[in-house]
Amino acid sequence: MFNMQIKNNLNLTENALIVLDKRYLKKDRDGNVIETPEEMFHRVAKNIASAEFIYNPKAVVSAVEKEFYEIMTNLEFLPNSPTLMNAGRELQQLAACFVLPVDDSLDSIFEAVKDTAIIHQSGGGTGFSFSRLRPKNDRVSTTSGVASGPVSFMKVFNTATEVIKQGGARRGANMGILRVDHPDIMEFIRAKENPSEFTNFNLSVGIDDNFMKAFENDSTFDLINPRNNKAAKKLKAKDVFNNIVDAAWKNGEPGIVFLDTINRFNPTPHLGRIEATNPCGEQPLLPYEACNLGSVNLTRMLKKKDNRYEIDYNKLERIINIAVRFLDNVIDVNKYPLPQIDRMCKGNRKIGLGIMGFADMLILLNIPYSSQAALDTAERLMKFIDEKAKEISMELAKERGVFPNYKGSIYEKSGVIMRNATTTTIAPTGTLSIIANCSSGIEPLYGITYTRKILDDLELKVINPNFEEIAKRKGFYSERLMDTIIAFGSIQERTDVPDDVKMLFTTAHDITPEDHVRIQAAFQKYTDNAVSKTVNFHEDADKSDVEKTFLLAYKLGCKGVTIYRSGSRERQVLSCRNNIQYC
């Protein structure tokens, strides 16, 4: 249990205090908490505001620090977890996600393993493309032997992650990507059939337009040996696609990333093609790039008019302005784990401003998640955030200069000055949403009530505050009702809950896969980077449902898609059976 002596002058929930105690607040050598939540936010605000001196030695930093402190303590905006954990402390590693190159040599592979360990120890996650590694049984001229292939080397990364465990504060996480035209693609697709394998990896197949055309035409495509870029063999695209669908239906992996879609929006194509993403897929990155993320809490961006809620766009704009400056400052005060990462991050200055609390906001706006009104709201809202984030980035460019790799970028070609190569990302906001007491990212409610597991040893009981308030206001609240919901999660079969309330409080498994994808696509339309989103399926979903979802995501312009069928793993991230969420 958490330290009940922690001072709570910010009206944080008990769950927020538990998470802060477990993961974020400073501790002495004996593990005793020596920092209050207020002191944590002061520590972060002061540290991030100190970057102002770099650009103006006479800057009134105290005013900037006050703004940063207020938007965090008001739970209007929170930066990614490493920033909250490490800003103003010895480690000072503030970025959440990194991509490392893995080239076709033992030196490169094991250099990447070493760099992965350093990053995980500092609290970051890592993504890799293993597509440059020669296939299994290919010749190795220097030893007259044969190669073991990408999947074999992935086991080394997985073991290293297991040993490090990110210093105990965050579970080690990796993303492994292999191009669909790699000769070992079938082995990769089946890599997680054994649930004890690759437990520290998310896996995604990198699909390109050429493969999708072959699928649509029911034709073959070439598998290319990366050692010599020559065709090794041909496979039917539908056979490969069906294997991806089958594996994802069985246990949720692999996911899919659409590489050509990602690279159509690559802001710095002169620096190379993007081949990999961070562990949750929302951040496509070049080798040695990292990105610092932050999220606006949408439940705090509402105002009441005529006794109804509406989005307060004036307040949202003010928070965006402060948040973009905050994230740009992070880049300068961050102590990067590797010099190559330092150069790339400061060269491109990518930031990712996103949101959390979308599902809760829709409830307060009286908009069902599965509705055209929700799609319209998503597009209008993200378009506003993206435009305002770019406006402040342009203002910062006038004040501080464009990002160093600006020449040759898409912005230089269009004549637009920008401080940051990207400005927007939709992250999952797992623990951040607990601190902010809102729904995660853009996901629907997981359940009206459920238990959330943190680091495998803490269970947090979560009750949606909006449901409880509405139930009491409309007169159908009872302890028996709440106990029943705790057992089953959904209210759609309840006869003692009004239909209009049922429409508002749909959970992840009440929503059709198509509606999941359409929400993701609506946000992706106005997001620079990518969107973290899980498409949830009922246990009895058919494989054809998975296929339709993958194809719809491609058609609607998503940069990737991840699905999960309930009950397809013995120990799963989200479970309707025992109503437990692991994070």
Side-chain angles (χ1 to χ4, degrees):
M1 195 57 184
F2 77 105
N3 181 5
M4 294 296 294
Q5 303 305 312
I6 293 177
K7 292 182 180 179
N8 181 20
N9 298 322
L10 302 176
N11 294 318
L12 299 170
T13 66
E14 182 176 322
N15 282 351
L17 292 175
I18 293 171
V19 169
L20 289 169
D21 172 84
K22 185 70 176 177
R23 290 187 171 183
Y24 295 87
L25 300 179
K26 286 172 66 175
K27 296 179 175 67
D28 63 20
R29 292 187 176 183
D30 296 323
N32 300 309
V33 173
I34 56 173
E35 180 178 58
T36 67
E38 288 173 294
E39 289 168 340
M40 178 194 73
F41 288 125
H42 270 302
R43 164 172 58 81
V44 175
K46 182 177 182 179
N47 181 257
I48 306 306
S50 69
E52 299 291 320
F53 284 128
I54 297 173
Y55 303 102
N56 180 8
K58 297 180 180 179
V60 184
V61 173
S62 60
V64 177
E65 180 184 339
K66 184 173 183 289
E67 285 186 323
F68 290 170
Y69 176 77
E70 287 179 349
I71 64 171
M72 288 189 291
T73 53
N74 290 338
L75 304 179
E76 295 162 335
F77 163 84
L78 290 175
N80 54 213
S81 290
T83 299
L84 289 177
M85 293 172 181
N86 301 330
R89 300 174 68 178
E90 183 179 357
L91 190 58
Q92 195 62 27
Q93 199 297 96
L94 313 182
C97 42
F98 303 78
V99 160
L100 293 174
V102 184
D103 290 322
D104 190 34
S105 73
L106 281 178
D107 283 348
S108 175
I109 292 166
F110 283 95
E111 186 71 20
V113 172
K114 182 191 76 173
D115 293 344
T116 299
I118 292 170
I119 289 170
H120 285 186
Q121 192 174 42
S122 74
T126 43
F128 316 89
S129 170
F130 293 99
S131 302
R132 295 177 182 270
L133 300 188
R134 69 190 67 191
K136 190 175 185 178
N137 297 324
D138 196 43
R139 67 181 180 86
V140 180
S141 59
T142 54
T143 62
S144 299
V146 294
S148 57
V151 175
S152 177
F153 281 113
M154 283 164 53
K155 294 177 182 178
V156 180
F157 287 84
N158 189 71
T159 300
T161 303
E162 186 68 30
V163 172
I164 297 299
K165 285 292 187 184
Q166 294 187 341
R170 282 157 61 86
R171 187 183 287 122
N174 301 299
M175 171 65 84
I177 291 176
L178 195 71
R179 286 184 59 93
V180 73
D181 57 7
H182 191 282
D184 288 357
I185 189 60
M186 300 304 286
E187 182 186 9
F188 180 84
I189 291 168
R190 296 189 296 267
K192 293 189 78 168
E193 282 184 342
N194 182 343
S196 65
E197 294 279 358
F198 301 109
T199 53
N200 297 302
F201 263 98
N202 294 325
L203 301 183
S204 286
V205 175
I207 284 181
D208 59 11
D209 292 344
N210 179 61
F211 174 83
M212 293 306 296
K213 288 175 184 174
F215 173 83
E216 292 163 4
N217 296 331
D218 194 16
S219 61
T220 61
F221 70 106
D222 290 329
L223 299 182
I224 306 297
N225 187 332
R227 176 175 58 81
N228 54 20
N229 288 321
K230 293 182 178 179
K233 61 186 292 189
K234 292 181 181 291
L235 289 178
K236 279 199 72 173
K238 283 197 173 180
D239 289 343
V240 175
F241 192 81
N242 288 340
N243 271 271
I244 297 171
V245 167
D246 181 66
W249 179 86
K250 284 178 179 175
N251 70 0
E253 292 191 71
I256 288 176
V257 293
F258 300 112
L259 294 174
D260 286 336
T261 304
I262 286 171
N263 280 285
R264 274 192 283 275
F265 298 95
N266 179 0
T268 56
H270 59 301
L271 300 181
R273 282 180 61 82
I274 294 172
E275 300 176 342
T277 75
N278 74 318
C280 291
E282 79 271 16
Q283 197 62 47
L285 295 168
L286 291 165
Y288 292 119
E289 271 194 314
C291 194
N292 58 291
L293 311 177
S295 299
V296 176
N297 180 0
L298 294 178
T299 66
R300 303 297 175 108
M301 300 298 118
L302 300 173
K303 62 182 180 181
K304 268 194 171 181
K305 185 177 180 181
D306 299 328
N307 210 34
R308 293 175 65 89
Y309 283 106
E310 61 182 36
I311 298 173
D312 187 341
Y313 280 101
N314 289 331
K315 180 179 182 180
L316 179 56
E317 181 175 2
R318 181 177 67 81
I319 300 302
I320 292 168
N321 290 346
I322 299 170
V324 169
R325 192 177 196 94
F326 181 108
L327 294 174
D328 190 65
N329 282 9
V330 167
I331 295 168
D332 292 311
V333 299
N334 196 347
K335 185 188 288 185
Y336 298 95
L338 300 169
Q340 305 96 310
I341 294 173
D342 186 286
R343 286 193 296 271
M344 281 297 287
C345 289
K346 290 177 178 174
N348 289 341
R349 304 194 68 87
K350 285 184 176 178
I351 63 172
L353 180 65
I355 59 172
M356 54 184 164
F358 178 66
D360 283 335
M361 183 198 74
L362 289 180
I363 290 167
L364 293 171
L365 293 174
N366 204 39
I367 298 174
Y369 193 96
S370 298
S371 68
Q372 185 60 46
L375 294 174
D376 294 342
T377 301
E379 281 202 22
R380 184 168 60 250
L381 178 70
M382 202 61 212
K383 184 174 187 286
F384 182 87
I385 293 171
D386 190 56
E387 288 176 350
K388 296 304 176 183
K390 285 181 170 53
E391 285 176 14
I392 193 64
S393 185
M394 292 177 203
E395 290 300 314
L396 286 171
K398 294 175 186 175
E399 178 185 329
R400 301 176 172 183
V402 296
F403 61 94
N405 291 331
Y406 174 82
K407 189 173 177 59
S409 72
I410 60 172
Y411 297 111
E412 191 237 0
K413 290 175 182 177
S414 63
V416 176
I417 63 166
M418 288 287 286
R419 177 65 175 167
N420 314 96
T422 65
T423 59
T424 46
T425 300
I426 304 292
T429 72
T431 49
L432 290 186
S433 63
I434 300 175
I435 298 171
N437 193 29
C438 66
S439 55
S440 299
I442 63 165
E443 298 287 357
L445 301 181
Y446 170 61
I448 310 302
T449 67
Y450 58 92
T451 300
R452 193 166 194 163
K453 281 205 168 187
I454 304 292
L455 285 178
D456 297 332
D457 61 357
L458 280 179
E459 292 190 357
L460 307 181
K461 183 180 178 182
V462 179
I463 300 176
N464 187 276
N466 296 316
F467 180 80
E468 197 167 15
E469 187 274 326
I470 289 173
K472 289 177 178 177
R473 175 160 47 86
K474 290 187 175 250
F476 65 88
Y477 178 89
S478 71
E479 290 296 332
R480 182 179 177 184
L481 170 65
M482 300 306 291
D483 289 342
T484 305
I485 296 172
I486 288 172
F488 297 101
S490 175
I491 59 172
Q492 297 309 306
E493 302 301 320
R494 303 288 306 180
T495 58
D496 52 352
V497 177
D499 288 343
D500 61 333
V501 176
K502 289 180 184 178
M503 288 180 64
L504 281 183
F505 287 90
T506 49
T507 64
H509 290 91
D510 298 325
I511 293 163
T512 68
E514 180 181 353
D515 285 336
H516 276 282
V517 174
R518 291 191 182 280
I519 283 288
Q520 179 178 338
F523 278 101
Q524 185 63 79
K525 188 174 181 180
Y526 296 105
T527 301
D528 285 339
N529 294 304
V531 176
S532 174
K533 180 84 182 67
T534 299
V535 179
N536 297 100
F537 286 82
H538 284 288
E539 187 172 349
D540 58 358
D542 191 78
K543 291 177 186 178
S544 64
D545 298 324
V546 178
E547 177 180 335
K548 290 173 187 174
T549 297
F550 285 164
L551 295 176
L552 181 63
Y554 178 70
K555 176 184 176 183
L556 295 182
C558 296
K559 293 183 178 178
V561 61
T562 301
I563 71 101
Y564 187 71
R565 184 176 62 88
S566 181
S568 61
R569 291 184 189 174
E570 185 175 337
R571 182 191 182 281
Q572 60 184 50
V573 176
L574 302 176
S575 174
C576 287
R577 286 176 171 174
N578 57 8
N579 222 23
I580 292 178
Q581 177 177 19
Y582 296 89
C583 73

